[in-house]
Amino acid sequence: MPGICCAVGCDNSRQRNPGLQFVSIPKDLDRRNKWLAAIRRDHWQPTSNSRLCSQHFVSGRKNDNPMSPDYIPSLFAHTSAGQRQRSIYATSRFEHTQQMKRKRTETLVPDSDHETVAPSSTSDATGLDITLVEQVECVKDDHSYSQAILSSGIVEPCSNAACQATVKALTNECARLRAEVNCLKDKVNVLSFNEEAFKGNDEMVQELTGLPSYAKMMVVFGFLSGF
């Protein structure tokens, strides 16, 4: 059975590395092309005997879930340090999301016949019956949020404490940045060399032009504009 890794610069083999898995190149055309693009082996087409070792997957194994970063191999000799870190983080985030999904499944509400079923609806403060129709995964920068889309068109805020803390921190950071931008705008306006900046500020006029006052400066400008 073939057992030599096909990745450029990788010399792993079944004989030397019995603890590794060696997987074949996918037959699905779309996924196959993505694998070939990731492997970056010029003028090469894999055969039925071609194998890729599990060291090229962040989790140490390929994953057939299209949402997983390990659906496509990402660790190669040509992978930059930044790309490597992003792949590692993305895989960690995906595994955390999957773990949270499993926990939610395990805590579903049992019905009267002791069968495990998910609650199909809830009510808001006004007594409106709201039915959960879909759950979607939203990825924002460095955090994953699970949100429920309601039949009323309302998005239910995430109840996870970590999500709420992250949202609060981001909101505070946005407010701080807005205040900083406004402060910088004020400074720019003060430092701008336009008529409004000099108006009523004889000290600035004298320091920057040598003229005794704003009025004298405007007389000089008026005189020069005639030429």
Side-chain angles (χ1 to χ4, degrees):
M1 179 183 292
I4 300 176
C5 185
C6 64
V8 177
C10 183
D11 58 358
N12 290 333
S13 68
R14 293 184 190 275
Q15 184 176 1
R16 286 192 298 268
N17 311 91
L20 296 180
Q21 295 179 359
F22 289 79
V23 297
S24 58
I25 309 300
K27 294 181 179 180
D28 175 76
L29 184 60
D30 181 64
R31 189 180 185 188
R32 182 186 184 88
N33 289 337
K34 290 178 179 178
W35 277 46
L36 296 182
I39 293 172
R40 290 190 190 177
R41 186 169 173 177
D42 294 334
H43 311 297
W44 174 76
Q45 283 297 323
T47 67
S48 58
N49 294 327
S50 300
R51 296 292 185 272
L52 187 71
C53 78
S54 54
Q55 280 193 346
H56 302 288
F57 301 89
V58 177
S59 63
R61 64 187 184 280
K62 77 167 185 175
N63 195 314
D64 291 327
N65 185 339
M67 300 300 295
S68 170
D70 276 335
Y71 186 69
I72 308 295
S74 59
L75 303 181
F76 296 95
H78 58 260
T79 305
S80 68
Q83 291 174 325
R84 187 177 296 268
Q85 287 300 319
R86 286 192 291 273
S87 295
I88 292 172
Y89 177 77
T91 301
S92 174
R93 184 170 58 188
F94 171 78
E95 291 179 348
H96 174 72
T97 300
Q98 294 301 104
Q99 183 180 8
M100 296 301 294
K101 285 183 177 180
R102 287 192 293 269
K103 287 183 178 180
R104 287 198 296 270
T105 301
E106 292 170 358
T107 57
L108 293 178
V109 180
D111 65 6
S112 58
D113 295 326
H114 305 291
E115 294 179 355
T116 301
V117 295
S120 60
S121 64
T122 183
S123 298
D124 65 5
T126 64
L128 176 64
D129 186 61
I130 302 173
T131 303
L132 302 181
V133 294
E134 182 182 7
Q135 283 194 335
V136 295
E137 290 298 324
C138 299
V139 179
K140 295 289 186 181
D141 298 329
D142 297 336
H143 198 80
S144 295
Y145 299 93
S146 179
Q147 295 180 322
I149 305 300
L150 309 179
S151 61
S152 61
I154 301 172
V155 179
E156 184 182 49
C158 180
S159 59
N160 182 275
C163 290
Q164 293 177 346
T166 301
V167 171
K168 182 178 180 180
L170 291 173
T171 301
N172 291 339
E173 179 66 8
C174 286
R176 185 190 68 79
L177 290 173
R178 287 194 186 97
E180 184 176 341
V181 168
N182 290 332
C183 181
L184 291 174
K185 284 182 178 179
D186 291 339
K187 289 183 178 180
V188 168
N189 290 334
V190 170
L191 296 175
S192 296
F193 296 115
N194 54 32
E195 183 178 344
E196 292 300 320
F198 286 100
K199 193 173 183 178
N201 195 334
D202 292 343
E203 184 178 349
M204 178 184 287
V205 172
Q206 187 173 13
E207 181 178 351
L208 296 178
T209 68
L211 298 172
S213 66
Y214 171 77
K216 293 289 180 65
M217 182 183 73
M218 295 308 297
V219 171
V220 172
F221 281 176
F223 175 77
L224 292 176
S225 64
F227 290 92

